[in-house]
């Protein structure tokens, strides 16, 4: 290669030298010049070789498609030489193919290309299969590695738990050693000079101190960058499997159980639960309490033919059937269960101690009840309190021989009966006051009836013996007529002759009360929450609602949360019968309670609860019941004779309670005798109370308590009694003719009798032929042989004089027409309701059933 330069025009001529190459056989070369921008050109050597396309098993073909291979050849242009950087060349421009002649492809080359294309398709299928196998193998490897990671995580968690247990045991051992080290050092000998200084004698001798061995404390590790960021989630930790957060043992166990169930397709074991059912419940709530899906419960209803939604409300009976069908047990609860555990809590026998008796004084008006109460009370208080400074609260306590007696001042019988009506048995002993100069009167008889209904013992106090016309023996004789047998007449009822004005024999009356209490052996548990009954209640302008209560069991203290009837409150103060504030009220002590939210009713029971929330729930429930009861009273009277008859029929009772008041005692005896004759073995009239005189408010209270009807014979009710009867929904019937009274009671008793079933024969028919009709069933072609056949009557199918079926007719036809009856001698078609086993020769008996009302 040589370079030449001439004059100012610098030219560079390049003489190509023959390059030394190793030529391959079957290859042709040619040169092609390429033109670039800026006048640059490049000579490119084009090599053309023949390539054969062959498939496995094919013979080699001599012909091959020419393939051009471009080899660039260095050339120098007139422009300055620019050395290119060793980087990827740009895409080559179109090549000038000067002097090249492209020959047409031969048939052999086309065949070779076709075979090559088919071979490529076969290789693609094989590659796809290999790719699928490879993906499957990778998935299996990934699953295997996943299981290995889970197993290693489980082992690591177990190892950590073991190490933690060992560390805890070591820490406890170190603490024990540290605690025992001072004692060991004190007891150890101190001969070592290194531990103890030389001994000195005298005042300057040093005090020997035991050497406490040092316990090696573990060095606190310093946190590095890796430790500081160990618990933080970063991109690297999330992508790498090395620092993956370990799962808990419970999570791993649940996952393994789920995987096993999925592998073996094992059903989950059904858990049987105790389902608590209220009075009404939605399907969704029922499903949640059973741990079932609401869809399954809805499907169950659909199978039963009912289309229900999860939000629909069902009653407790239906919910119990559903829960039982799903295999669960049921515990029914009612809304009234909120009061469970409020009253009648059982006490242990060893906790019971004696308590004072509670005495109620009853009797006729002007027989000296109030005077006797004042005499007993004034005789047992100090003289300084006798001047009227004491506060009368309706109940008080007196003391006799070191024993206390509680007296309840009940005006009439209203409070006494109200207590019984609300289930509160507050009285232990009833003192019946009878005037010796007036003997037994109507209200005296009422008092006896009330005391006997309450089941309390009676002590008769014959008052006013200081009067000149007093006749105590007459009182004792008249008491025999009312089944009150005193001791002096051979009975068991104690009787004491007293004088309230003179103060005679008051001590004997108190001793009789204490004797009766000793026989009753009255006990209560003072060390528990208080229960009792409300005697009186009023709204005081200065103090608010004030309730006089009698504590029956437990001890009532200020601060207790009290529930009394429909009201509740926190006890602010307790006031006794002398107006003194007390810190506690033991059993059988009457006190005034301040702090209630409202005024309760006389006779309401009270109890102490734990918190205000429960007190509020109980009172809201009782107030709601009271409102519903009031609405029911306005809707219809509860105590009418007709409704009472229907109630007695449904409840199955066979007694008809009555409260009868007449003008004279003779009329009362005649009515009692007539009603006794009406009684049978099934029904009878039970007379709760019968007496002479007008119908009073106490009669209405007694009728309300015992659920009886009130009958007045030639008497009327006073204004208070009418108001009380209207409020309680009790009907009062008035009569002036005894026969009308007996007829009405007889009709009421007849309503208690169950009706009689009477059967009447109508006719017989013989089956001649059986027809099987599509979509209808079997039809019996019959001839009426006796009487007639009616549609709607009862029928029996008789075969060989044996009743095979008893039911009703589904159809009765004469030819093609539906008829109501077929007379004897004619033919007809009959079909039974839900029965088709009929045969030729059977006899069909037709009968009519009638329910006949029975009468006395």
């Amino acid at each position: 290669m040589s370079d030449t330069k001439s004059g100012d025009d610098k030219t560079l001529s390049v003489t190509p030298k023959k390059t030394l190459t190793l030529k391959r056989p079957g290859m042709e070369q040619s040169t092609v010049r390429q033109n670039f921008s800026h006048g640059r050109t490049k000579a490119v050597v084009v090599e053309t070789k023949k390539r054969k396309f062959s498939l496995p098993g094919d013979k080699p073909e001599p012909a091959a498609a020419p393939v051009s291979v471009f080899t660039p050849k260095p050339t120098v242009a007139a422009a300055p030489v620019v050395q290119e950087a060793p980087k990827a060349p740009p895409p080559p421009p179109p090549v000038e193919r000067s002097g090249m002649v492209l020959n047409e492809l031969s048939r052999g080359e086309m065949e070779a290309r076709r075979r090559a294309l088919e071979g490529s398709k076969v290789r693609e299928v094989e590659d796809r299969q290999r790719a699928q196998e490879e993906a499957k193998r990778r998935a299996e490897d990934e699953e295997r590695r996943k299981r290995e990671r889970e197993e290693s995580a489980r082992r690591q968690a177990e190892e950590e738990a073991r190490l933690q247990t060992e560390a805890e045991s070591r820490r406890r051992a170190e603490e024990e050693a540290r605690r025992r080290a001072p004692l060991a050092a004190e007891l150890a000998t101190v001969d070592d000079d290194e531990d103890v200084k030389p001994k000195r004698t005298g005042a300057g001798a040093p005090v020997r101190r035991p050497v406490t061995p040092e316990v090696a404390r573990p060095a606190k590790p310093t946190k590095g960058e890796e430790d500081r960021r160990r618990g933080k989630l970063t991109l690297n930790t999330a992508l790498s499997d090395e620092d993956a957060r370990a799962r808990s043992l419970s999570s791993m166990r649940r996952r393994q159980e789920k995987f096993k169930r999925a592998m073996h397709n094992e059903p989950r074991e059904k858990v049987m639960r105790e389902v608590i059912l209220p009075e009404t419940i939605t399907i969704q709530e029922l499903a949640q309490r059973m741990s079932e899906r609401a869809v399954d419960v809805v499907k169950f209803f659909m199978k039963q033919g009912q289309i229900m939604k999860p939000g629909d409300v069902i009653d407790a009976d239906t919910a119990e059937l559903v829960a039982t069908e799903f295999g669960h047990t049921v515990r029914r609860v009612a809304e009234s269960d909120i009061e469970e555990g409020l009253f009648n809590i059982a006490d242990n026998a060893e906790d019971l101690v004696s308590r004072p008796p509670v005495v109620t004084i009853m009797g006729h008006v002007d027989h000296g009840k109030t005077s006797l109460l004042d005499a007993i009370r004034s005789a047992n208080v100090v003289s300084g309190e006798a001047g009227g400074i004491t506060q009368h609260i309706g109940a008080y306590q007196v003391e006799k021989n070191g024993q206390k007696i509680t007296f309840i001042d009940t005006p009439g019988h209203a409070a006494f009966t109200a207590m019984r009506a609300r289930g509160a048995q507050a009285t232990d002993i009833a003192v019946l006051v009878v005037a010796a100069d007036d003997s037994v009167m109507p209200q005296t008889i009422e008092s006896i009836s009330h005391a006997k209904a309450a089941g309390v013992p009676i002590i008769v106090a014959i008052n006013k013996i200081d009067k000149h016309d007093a006749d105590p023996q007459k009182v004792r004789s008249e008491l025999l007529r009312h089944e009150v047998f005193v001791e002096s007449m051979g009975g068991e009822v104690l009787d004491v002759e007293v004088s309230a004005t003179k103060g005679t024999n008051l001590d004997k009356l108190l001793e009789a009360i204490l004797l009766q209490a000793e026989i009753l052996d009255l006990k209560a548990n003072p060390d528990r929450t208080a229960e009792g009954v409300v005697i009186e209640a009023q709204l005081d302008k200065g103090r608010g609602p004030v309730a006089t209560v009698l504590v029956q069991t437990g001890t009532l203290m200020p601060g207790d949360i009290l529930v009394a009837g429909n009201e509740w409150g926190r006890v602010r103060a307790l006031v006794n019968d002398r107006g003194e504030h007390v810190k506690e009220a033991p059993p059988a002590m009457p006190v005034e309670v301040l702090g209630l939210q409202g005024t309760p009713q006389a006779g309401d029971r009270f109890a102490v609860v734990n918190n205000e929330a429960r007190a509020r729930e109980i009172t809201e429930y009782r107030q709601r019941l009271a409102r519903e009861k009031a609405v029911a009273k306005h809707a219809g009277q509860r105590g009418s004779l007709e409704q009472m008859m229907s109630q007695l029929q449904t409840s199955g009772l066979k007694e008809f309670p009555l409260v009868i008041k007449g003008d004279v005692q003779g009329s009362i005896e005649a009515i009692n005798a007539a009603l006794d004759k009406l009684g049978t073995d099934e029904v009878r009239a039970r007379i709760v109370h019968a007496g002479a005189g007008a119908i009073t408010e106490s009669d209405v209270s007694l009728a309300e308590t015992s659920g009886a009807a009130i009958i007045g014979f030639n008497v009327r009710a006073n204004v208070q009694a009418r108001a009380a009867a209207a409020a309680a929904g009790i009907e009062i019937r008035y009569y002036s003719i005894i026969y009308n009274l007996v007829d009405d009671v007889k009709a009421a008793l007849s309503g208690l009798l169950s009706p009689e079933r009477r059967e009447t024969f109508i006719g017989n028919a013989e089956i001649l032929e059986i027809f099987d009709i599509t979509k209808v069933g079997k039809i019996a072609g019959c001839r009426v042989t006796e009487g007639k056949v009616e549609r709607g009557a009862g029928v029996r199918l008789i075969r060989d004089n044996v009743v095979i079926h008893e039911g009703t007719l589904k159809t009765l036809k004469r030819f093609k027409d539906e008829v109501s009856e077929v007379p004897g001698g004619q033919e007809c078609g009959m079909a039974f309701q839900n029965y088709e086993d009929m045969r030729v020769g059977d006899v069909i008996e037709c009968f009519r059933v009638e329910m006949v009302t029975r009468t006395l």
Side-chain angles (χ1 to χ4, degrees):
M1 185 181 294
S2 62
D3 299 338
T4 59
K5 296 181 181 179
S6 61
D8 295 330
D9 188 11
K10 296 181 180 180
T11 62
L12 180 63
S13 64
V14 179
T15 304
K17 295 177 77 174
K18 189 173 182 181
T19 59
L20 298 175
T21 59
L22 183 61
K23 292 187 63 175
R24 297 176 182 175
M27 184 179 296
E28 298 179 357
Q29 291 185 353
S30 61
T31 303
V32 177
R33 182 169 295 279
Q34 292 182 336
N35 295 327
F36 297 97
S37 60
H38 304 289
R40 292 184 295 116
T41 61
K42 183 185 294 185
V44 181
V45 177
V46 179
E47 296 179 353
T48 304
K49 66 178 180 178
K50 296 179 180 178
R51 184 177 177 184
K52 297 181 180 179
F53 295 94
S54 61
L55 291 173
D58 294 345
K59 293 182 179 181
E61 292 289 338
V67 180
S68 298
V69 180
F70 299 94
T71 304
K73 196 172 185 181
T75 46
V76 180
V81 179
V82 181
Q83 188 173 1
E84 298 180 0
K87 61 182 179 179
V95 182
E96 289 185 3
R97 295 192 175 153
S98 59
M100 290 186 63
V101 180
L102 298 177
N103 299 325
E104 294 182 358
L105 297 176
S106 63
R107 182 178 293 107
E109 292 173 345
M110 293 293 291
E111 186 66 23
R113 290 189 176 185
R114 184 184 62 78
R115 286 196 298 271
L117 184 59
E118 291 176 356
S120 65
K121 291 182 178 180
V122 172
R123 283 194 298 274
E124 287 179 1
V125 173
E126 293 175 354
D127 293 340
R128 191 179 301 113
Q129 292 178 353
R130 282 196 298 273
Q132 292 178 354
E133 293 175 356
E134 183 68 20
K136 184 176 180 181
R137 184 179 60 80
R138 283 198 299 270
E140 292 175 353
D141 292 344
E142 181 66 20
E143 184 67 24
R144 178 176 53 79
R145 286 195 296 271
K146 189 176 181 180
R147 288 198 295 270
E148 290 176 356
R149 285 197 301 272
E150 292 176 353
E151 185 67 22
S152 64
R154 184 181 64 81
R155 286 198 297 269
Q156 182 181 358
E158 293 177 352
E159 184 67 15
E160 289 177 357
R162 185 180 62 80
L163 292 176
Q164 185 177 0
T165 305
E166 292 177 357
E168 183 67 20
S169 62
R170 283 198 302 271
R171 185 181 62 79
R172 291 179 180 174
E174 290 174 359
E175 289 178 358
E176 185 70 15
R178 194 180 300 113
R179 192 165 53 250
R180 293 181 180 179
L183 181 60
E186 183 72 22
L187 298 177
T189 59
V190 288
D191 294 338
D192 194 353
D193 293 334
E194 295 178 359
D195 296 338
V196 182
K197 294 183 179 180
K199 297 182 180 179
R200 295 182 188 176
T201 59
V207 179
R208 179 187 299 175
R209 292 187 178 90
V211 179
T212 303
E214 295 185 358
V215 179
R217 297 183 180 179
K220 187 175 181 182
T222 57
K223 281 191 175 182
E225 182 66 21
E226 296 181 358
D227 295 334
R228 189 173 62 82
R229 298 184 57 83
R230 178 173 295 172
K232 298 186 177 181
L233 183 63
T234 61
L235 187 61
N236 295 330
T237 57
L239 295 177
S240 64
D241 294 332
E242 297 177 357
D243 296 330
R245 188 172 298 175
R247 302 169 66 95
S248 64
L249 294 177
S250 301
S251 176
M252 296 293 295
R253 193 177 299 112
R254 288 193 300 267
R255 184 168 183 174
Q256 289 178 0
E257 290 178 358
K258 183 178 180 182
F259 180 72
K260 288 179 182 179
R261 286 196 302 269
M263 291 295 293
H264 300 284
N265 198 13
E266 294 179 357
R268 184 185 292 268
E269 183 180 356
K270 186 177 180 62
V271 179
M272 302 304 176
R273 302 180 181 275
E274 183 185 24
V275 183
I276 299 176
L277 296 180
E279 296 176 356
T280 57
I281 190 173
T282 62
I283 294 179
Q284 182 72 36
E285 180 67 20
L286 176 62
Q288 291 178 359
R289 296 189 182 188
M290 295 190 301
S291 295
E292 305 281 353
R293 297 190 307 165
V295 179
D296 296 337
V297 183
V298 172
K299 286 181 181 178
F300 172 77
F301 279 107
M302 293 179 66
K303 290 179 182 178
Q304 305 300 322
Q306 297 181 356
I307 305 300
M308 308 285 283
K309 300 187 296 296
D312 291 344
V313 179
I314 57 178
D315 57 357
D317 295 333
T318 307
E320 182 176 0
L321 292 175
V322 174
T324 307
E325 189 69 24
F326 277 85
H328 303 285
T329 58
V330 172
R331 182 160 64 92
R332 298 277 290 270
V333 296
E335 193 177 7
S336 59
D337 292 345
I338 192 174
E339 295 185 352
E340 284 188 359
L342 190 63
F343 297 109
N344 303 325
I345 302 175
D347 293 320
N348 296 327
E350 58 270 13
D351 297 334
L352 299 178
V353 297
S354 298
R355 65 170 178 85
V358 180
V359 181
T360 299
I361 296 184
M362 309 171 71
H364 193 72
V365 179
D366 293 335
H367 275 206
K369 296 190 303 296
T370 306
S371 300
L372 186 60
L373 283 169
D374 292 341
I376 293 174
R377 187 163 182 266
S378 61
N380 284 272
V381 296
V382 294
S383 59
E385 293 181 350
I389 63 171
T390 56
Q391 185 180 7
H392 184 62
I393 63 172
Y396 54 88
Q397 279 187 333
V398 300
E399 191 169 345
K400 174 66 177 176
N401 298 332
Q403 295 178 334
K404 293 183 178 180
I405 303 174
T406 300
F407 285 93
I408 298 179
D409 185 10
T410 55
H413 317 291
F416 190 89
T417 311
M419 293 176 193
R420 284 195 54 236
R422 293 169 177 82
Q425 190 64 43
T427 305
D428 300 320
I429 301 171
V431 174
L432 181 66
V433 179
V434 185
D437 61 341
D438 203 8
S439 191
V440 177
M441 297 299 290
Q443 286 190 6
T444 309
I445 302 172
E446 291 180 3
S447 301
I448 296 172
S449 301
H450 282 76
K452 287 185 176 181
V456 296
I458 299 175
I459 296 177
V460 178
I462 303 176
N463 195 16
K464 300 182 181 181
I465 60 171
D466 56 325
K467 290 193 174 184
H468 65 281
D469 55 349
D471 189 0
Q473 195 62 31
K474 179 183 176 182
V475 174
R476 297 186 179 96
S477 301
E478 290 190 0
L479 287 175
L480 293 177
R481 299 171 55 188
H482 303 286
E483 298 181 356
V484 177
F485 306 104
V486 297
E487 282 187 338
S488 59
M489 305 290 289
E492 297 180 354
V493 177
L494 299 175
D495 62 314
V496 181
E497 297 180 5
V498 297
S499 173
T501 56
K502 304 291 184 180
T504 309
N505 293 337
L506 294 182
D507 293 341
K508 290 184 178 180
L509 178 61
L510 297 179
E511 289 175 358
I513 293 173
L514 292 176
L515 176 61
Q516 186 67 50
E518 186 177 352
I519 296 174
L520 294 177
D521 191 18
L522 305 172
K523 292 186 177 181
N525 180 14
D527 300 326
R528 50 159 290 182
T529 57
E531 291 181 17
V533 63
V534 177
I535 299 173
E536 291 179 357
Q538 60 182 352
L539 186 62
D540 194 292
K541 292 183 179 180
R543 299 184 296 170
V546 178
T548 302
V549 301
L550 175 67
V551 181
Q552 293 178 309
T553 183
T555 302
L556 183 64
M557 292 180 289
D560 289 343
I561 300 173
L562 202 70
V563 175
N566 298 343
E567 305 296 338
W568 73 278
R570 186 180 293 273
V571 179
R572 287 194 287 110
L574 298 175
V575 183
N576 63 6
D577 57 331
R578 296 178 179 86
E580 303 169 349
H581 286 261
V582 294
K583 294 183 179 181
E584 61 179 18
M589 180 176 179
V591 288
E592 278 188 343
V593 175
L594 280 67
L596 293 176
Q597 302 286 335
T599 305
Q601 297 182 5
D604 285 341
R605 299 179 67 185
F606 77 85
V608 174
V609 295
N610 297 329
N611 49 40
E612 295 184 2
R614 183 157 189 244
R616 196 174 290 108
E617 288 179 358
I618 294 173
T619 53
E620 287 177 355
Y621 165 70
R622 291 179 176 179
Q623 290 171 4
R624 186 166 62 254
L625 283 186
R627 287 194 298 269
E628 293 175 356
K629 188 176 181 180
V631 171
K633 284 182 181 179
H634 289 297
Q637 286 189 345
R638 178 194 59 186
S640 64
L641 286 174
E642 291 80 12
Q643 291 187 359
M644 192 173 295
M645 288 162 50
S646 63
Q647 289 178 4
L648 293 174
Q649 284 181 351
T650 55
S651 60
L653 297 177
K654 299 299 181 183
E655 288 186 343
F656 188 51
L658 292 172
V659 173
I660 301 175
K661 297 299 290 288
D663 52 353
V664 292
Q665 193 67 31
S667 301
I668 300 299
E669 293 178 357
I671 293 172
N672 288 340
L675 294 182
D676 286 340
K677 294 179 181 179
L678 294 179
T680 63
D681 295 337
E682 298 182 32
V683 295
R684 69 181 182 90
R686 179 170 65 90
I687 300 175
V688 178
H689 171 68
I695 299 174
T696 61
E697 191 176 358
S698 62
D699 297 324
V700 178
S701 301
L702 184 61
E704 182 183 6
T705 303
S706 57
I710 300 178
I711 292 178
F713 185 76
N714 287 332
V715 294
R716 290 294 182 268
N718 56 27
V719 178
Q720 294 82 3
R722 286 197 300 269
I730 302 295
E731 183 184 14
I732 302 176
R733 292 270 182 115
Y734 300 107
Y735 296 94
S736 58
I737 301 175
I738 192 171
Y739 300 107
N740 295 340
L741 187 152
V742 173
D743 290 342
D744 284 356
V745 174
K746 184 177 180 180
L749 293 177
S750 300
L752 300 179
L753 297 173
S754 57
E756 181 183 358
R757 185 177 185 272
R758 185 176 299 174
E759 184 177 302
T760 305
F761 173 77
I762 299 178
N764 283 338
E766 183 181 0
I767 299 178
L768 304 179
E769 191 67 38
I770 302 295
F771 303 98
D772 197 350
I773 301 177
T774 307
K775 297 183 181 180
V776 176
K778 291 185 178 181
I779 302 293
C782 310
R783 178 186 292 116
V784 181
T785 57
E786 184 180 357
K788 61 181 180 178
V789 177
E790 293 181 355
R791 186 175 60 186
V795 290
R796 293 190 184 95
L797 182 65
I798 302 175
R799 183 178 302 158
D800 298 332
N801 295 325
V802 177
V803 177
I804 305 298
H805 173 71
E806 182 173 346
T808 57
L809 287 178
K810 182 172 65 174
T811 180
L812 178 63
K813 289 190 176 184
R814 172 79 176 150
F815 297 106
K816 293 185 178 181
D817 300 329
E818 285 280 352
V819 293
S820 59
E821 65 177 36
V822 177
Q826 295 186 0
E827 295 181 353
C828 61
M830 287 188 285
F832 290 94
Q833 189 78 27
N834 300 326
Y835 188 78
E836 293 186 349
D837 186 16
M838 300 171 290
R839 301 179 185 176
V840 177
D842 292 347
V843 176
I844 298 175
E845 179 183 356
C846 186
F847 60 92
R848 185 186 299 113
V849 177
E850 297 175 349
M851 304 302 292
V852 181
T853 303
R854 297 167 58 193
T855 58
L856 293 175

